[in-house]
Amino acid sequence: MSLSVARQGAAAFPIFSNAAKRNLRQLSASIPARHSRRHARAFSVKTRAEMEYDYDIFTIGGGSGGVRASRMSSQAGAKVGLVELPYSPISSATTGGLGGTCVIRGCVPKKLLVYGSAFESEFRDAVGFGWDHGDKMPEFSWERLIAAKNGEIERLNGIYGRLLDGAGVEKYEGAGRVTGPNSVEITDVDGNKKTITAKTILLAPGGRAWKPDIPGADLGITSDEALAFEHQPKRVVVIGGGYIAVEFAGIFQGLGSEVNIVYRADLPLRGFDQEVRETVATNLAARGTGVHAGANPVSIAKNDDGSLTLALDDGTKIETDCVMWATGRVPNTDRPDLGLKEVGVELDSKGAVVVDEYSKTTVPSIYAVGDVTNRVNLTPVALMEGMAFKDTVVLGKPTKPDYENIPSAVFCQPPVATVGMTEEEAVAKGMTCDIYTSTFTPMKISLAGRVEKAFMKLIVDTATDKVVGAHMVGPDSAEIMQGIGIALKCGATKKQFDSTVGIHPSSAEEFVTMRTLTRTVGPKVAEKEAVGAKM
């Protein structure tokens, strides 16, 4: 229960009246002593001005970060409101939905399609394990898959609403616009406007896909539309080399489309470990995806038959039915316009909200979490930032989100998982590291006759013996890496990895049985080589 009083009740309930004191004592008595002590510092005695706000906290955005921060803040004793756009599988200036990108048009539906597309290779692999399907693959229905996916995300959208209700968060459907340090204007679906006030405003509107400015760019789609196609395109070109690009290339290829992927670098997944990138590029080509590395799109043209022609800067032209842009995402601060510049909230050159280490913006009463800040754009990170916001603002315990050793995965096929530093990052930080690698055929495909290697890598700081990076490409890599992430968070050493008994037979056991040093890298190696050269 909130210890704040809504604005409309303040006049009838003066804070220093006897009635106020009696009611506050009753409220305190209704809260468990432990709960009361925990929140006494954050919600002790409020001034008259503080009690004139409609809410202690008002959140703009009902995605992962916004919902988590709002729920936890309400359960910790704050009065919380939240506004989110109406539900739609495809986002726009007027549509969104509780659950945000991850639940509606990101992580969840994408992973469902990844699961669906993975059956193609497994059906073929099954022959090597004794199954006989007469060289005839089972028939696939895109329409049935998308209908099932839509049903699931609608179910989850409803769950998010019920979670907010259960936590006592008051929901509004519409667009929120900041009109002052403590005020938000809500425009509902009918165009009606209402202004509410809050002691603290939390921005959590997320991000959206970005298209480059080239002729015909609007003929291409984004991941939003790719997850909502009524009919499967026979030919697809995915433009981009990031995780969204390689994931969707794998989805469409696995479901039977002819796929090409175009990226401007020499390898996909910029920012990932070099050997991981090389392995993913090899796997893309091996699974039948056309790879166009070092190329940039210059135009898209529509043909008389409705197909598209994509022109690249190396002179290549690709005929296709669909061009999907996977060229990055931008913070959602201007769709719809949140009014941030007018109230003094600083935005960077990409439109991201600038925050300090506690997620506070340049306006002290306004905070921001999630992709709108463009820090680490991952759903679990937004959840972490939301929890830190609750601790800082509601509990009065300043808490910084911890961005060290964040595990992540790329659900290409086979998937990538990683935690900690890449080899390149470790060397750039001046560390000398021992590198352990292993490349092998996973038992899962050992009888299938398919050539596809798993890759695993550990990076060990020679000064401390701590494992500072772990990387894997192969089946179940995300499930394996979650546990490795805990080990790195605890500061595990290579000796401790080596002393751990493996689970056999499994791919995971390779992480605790890598004994042969692949190489040592870093400044001390360079110094030693330089001395040797002079001798």
Side-chain angles (χ1 to χ4, degrees), residues 11-62:
F13 188 21
I15 188 168
F16 296 117
S17 69
N18 289 331
K21 293 176 181 178
R22 283 195 301 274
N23 277 277
L24 284 172
R25 282 197 297 270
Q26 291 170 0
L27 282 169
S28 298
S30 68
I31 299 172
R34 184 177 59 182
H35 181 93
S36 179
R37 287 194 301 271
R38 187 189 306 158
H39 305 309
R41 183 177 174 186
F43 290 97
S44 51
V45 178
K46 297 191 174 189
T47 67
R48 182 183 300 272
E50 287 177 321
M51 298 192 71
E52 290 178 351
Y53 295 121
D54 297 322
Y55 296 97
D56 296 313
I57 296 164
F58 193 83
T59 303
I60 298 177

Side-chain angles (χ1 to χ4, degrees), residues 301-386:
K302 192 166 187 176
N303 304 317
D304 293 340
D305 63 357
S307 65
L308 303 174
T309 298
L310 171 68
L312 306 180
D313 59 0
D314 62 4
T316 301
K317 290 189 176 181
I318 306 173
E319 301 292 323
T320 187
D321 301 307
C322 169
V323 174
M324 177 185 157
W325 294 111
T327 43
R329 296 177 63 82
V330 293
N332 236 348
T333 49
D334 60 356
R335 197 192 75 170
D337 180 21
L338 299 183
L340 301 180
K341 291 181 180 178
E342 290 83 349
V343 298
V345 173
E346 183 182 352
L347 306 179
D348 69 14
S349 59
K350 295 183 178 180
V353 177
V354 176
V355 294
D356 66 11
E357 55 192 354
Y358 297 100
S359 299
K360 184 188 293 185
T361 73
T362 48
V363 176
S365 58
I366 301 177
Y367 288 70
V369 297
D371 289 6
V372 75
T373 65
N374 200 30
R375 288 178 284 185
V376 179
N377 296 339
L378 296 170
T379 294
V381 173
L383 299 177
M384 173 182 67
E385 291 170 353

